[in-house]
Amino acid sequence: MSEPLRNLSDLDRVIHEPARLLLVALLSSVESADFLFLLKESGLTKGNLSVHLSRLEEAGYLRVEKTFRGKIPHTEFRLTPKGRSAFDQYRKDIGSIVNPKKARG
Amino acid sequence: MDSRIESVMKRGRGYWFVDGFTEILAGILFILLGGITLLSGIVPPSSFLSQFISLAESAAIVKFLGLILAVLGLWWLKDRFTYPRTGFVREKGVPRSQLLVFLRNAVLIAILPVLGLIIPLFFIPAVRGAIFSMPIWFPPVLGIFWGALCILLGEWTALRRFRLLGVVILLAGISVGAWQLSLGMPNVPAGALRANILSPLPDVLWAPVEESLNRALAGVGLLTLLSGIAFAVSGLATFLRYRKENPVPYREEL
């Protein structure tokens, strides 16, 4: 198997799925966000978004925090350190596939 | 691929500015600061308004409290208006190490040019000439600095309007400099260039120094006012678009 193909098969499947990649990319740039923000920005349906968030949580990439904003219950989602490093690694991996010369240089 | 990921990440970074409130408030603060600075040079010194302006100029606590109130007001507005419509985002905190580096650089950026002007003042008479021409070069330099900050913010958040604002502020700075140039260079008496810098200047030499400082201050005031108007207009347009796209708070569909 050639190196780029091997790299392709090594990609993190949890993050590689487009909807989850979008969610992880959004969460990587902030401390945390609520369901409504992720819903509006991703354009996913509520059911779909819940499924993808659960998948990320199962993988240990996401932490769900139930807090209060004033008196209103509030659920926030944040990437765990494991999730952040998995996302950084994914970006390196995808970079080495798309642009192998640059990745080696 | 990575650039598309980067553009999604920038959407998260730019969310703070999605509703235009920050620009509107920054614009109002700039308009007030610029307006007070400009008016202080125009209004006759003995009038009631001048007393009010000098109070507003000197009372740093009022500016500080105004800033705190503006920030609290911004949070309140976002809590009531933005978060129920498009969701809540907790911005990434800056790590202490990065904050210290940022503060060190900010202090250096603020202090070095001042030291670079003050120290040569003692030794090189020509530098005093540069001080006299401050009304012409200072507003463009400030405009370039503020404009560059706006353009960098636009790059960081992928918000095109900040790049545009940066260009507008930069052009405003250059225009203010050109306006001051059209008024003519301030007189630089040879005596002022040669005088001992630590001894008080005689009135006849002090007048052109004062004129130069007042003109520079007026230029900075005008630039601040123009930048404030640009911020406020941009913020208002952003707010109207946001309200049109999100007229009511989000509700669960039954």
Side-chain angles (χ1 to χ4, degrees):
Chain A
M1 195 188 281
S2 68
E3 199 187 329
L5 279 178
R6 197 167 48 245
N7 288 345
L8 195 60
S9 64
D10 285 346
L11 278 178
D12 188 330
R13 299 291 170 102
V14 176
I15 294 183
H16 190 55
E17 201 284 327
R20 287 196 289 272
L21 177 57
L22 177 63
L23 295 173
V24 172
L26 277 171
L27 285 170
S28 73
S29 61
V30 299
E31 187 68 41
S32 62
D34 68 0
F35 192 84
L36 179 56
F37 171 77
L38 296 172
L39 188 74
K40 290 266 179 177
E41 287 293 323
S42 66
L44 297 168
T45 62
K46 278 199 283 184
N48 230 336
L49 177 59
S50 292
V51 169
H52 287 302
L53 289 172
S54 299
R55 182 76 189 86
L56 288 168
E57 194 185 3
E58 279 165 21
Y61 291 172
L62 190 85
R63 196 167 63 229
V64 183
E65 288 174 357
K66 296 197 182 293
T67 56
F68 280 87
R69 283 182 55 72
K71 290 178 181 173
I72 303 161
H74 191 75
T75 308
E76 285 179 36
F77 300 88
R78 73 174 68 211
L79 284 186
T80 59
K82 185 183 172 188
R84 287 195 188 274
S85 63
F87 179 56
D88 289 341
Q89 188 58 47
Y90 175 82
R91 289 183 71 186
K92 277 183 200 153
D93 291 345
I94 202 83
S96 71
I97 293 165
V98 175
N99 204 344
K101 282 181 189 167
K102 197 178 170 187
R104 259 182 261 134
Chain B
M1 177 77 176
D2 203 50
S3 66
R4 289 173 74 179
I5 295 175
E6 187 71 30
S7 71
V8 172
M9 291 168 72
K10 285 179 178 178
R11 288 186 67 83
R13 286 181 208 145
Y15 185 65
W16 180 259
F17 303 103
V18 73
D19 45 26
F21 289 144
T22 310
E23 286 146 273
I24 294 174
L25 279 176
I28 292 171
L29 282 177
F30 269 52
I31 288 170
L32 285 175
L33 281 176
I36 286 171
T37 311
L38 260 183
L39 280 176
S40 65
I42 296 169
V43 174
S46 55
S47 67
F48 171 73
L49 190 57
S50 80
Q51 299 299 318
F52 175 75
I53 290 167
S54 65
L55 183 72
E57 267 187 316
S58 57
I61 188 79
V62 174
K63 290 174 195 163
F64 183 70
L65 282 178
L67 197 64
I68 299 277
L69 279 177
V71 172
L72 289 176
L74 192 59
W75 279 342
W76 185 84
L77 275 173
K78 282 183 173 288
D79 220 30
R80 297 292 169 109
F81 189 85
T82 313
Y83 299 151
R85 282 170 169 76
T86 48
F88 171 77
V89 164
R90 203 178 292 278
E91 301 295 333
K92 232 178 189 176
V94 183
R96 184 175 285 189
S97 57
Q98 260 186 36
L99 193 69
L100 286 175
V101 170
F102 175 79
L103 283 176
R104 185 199 64 194
N105 291 346
V107 167
L108 284 178
I109 286 171
I111 285 178
L112 282 180
V114 177
L115 286 180
L117 270 177
I118 289 176
I119 294 172
L121 273 179
F122 287 90
F123 310 106
I124 312 167
V127 175
R128 294 187 208 173
I131 297 283
F132 276 95
S133 57
M134 247 175 104
I136 290 150
W137 61 260
F138 192 65
V141 167
L142 199 63
I144 288 168
F145 181 67
W146 287 351
L149 281 182
C150 272
I151 291 168
L152 282 177
L153 185 63
E155 282 298 313
W156 177 245
T157 56
L159 292 172
R160 208 180 303 159
R161 69 178 192 273
F162 279 112
R163 293 178 204 152
L164 190 66
L165 268 174
V167 173
V168 168
I169 291 171
L170 196 145
L171 290 177
I174 293 170
S175 307
V176 171
W179 165 60
Q180 285 290 338
L181 186 63
S182 73
L183 295 178
M185 291 283 278
N187 290 322
V188 187
L193 294 181
R194 285 194 302 269
N196 180 355
I197 197 154
L198 294 176
S199 57
L201 276 178
D203 280 351
V204 67
L205 295 181
W206 177 242
V209 176
E210 201 174 7
E211 185 209 335
S212 176
L213 289 176
N214 284 340
R215 277 179 57 181
L217 206 60
V220 170
L222 184 59
L223 175 64
T224 312
L225 184 72
L226 292 174
S227 304
I229 291 169
F231 270 118
V233 168
S234 160
L236 197 62
T238 306
F239 169 70
L240 291 175
R241 197 182 61 223
Y242 178 82
R243 201 183 61 169
K244 194 177 169 192
E245 287 169 2
N246 306 281
V248 288
Y250 180 78
R251 282 178 194 278
E252 296 275 328
E253 286 140 28
L254 298 171

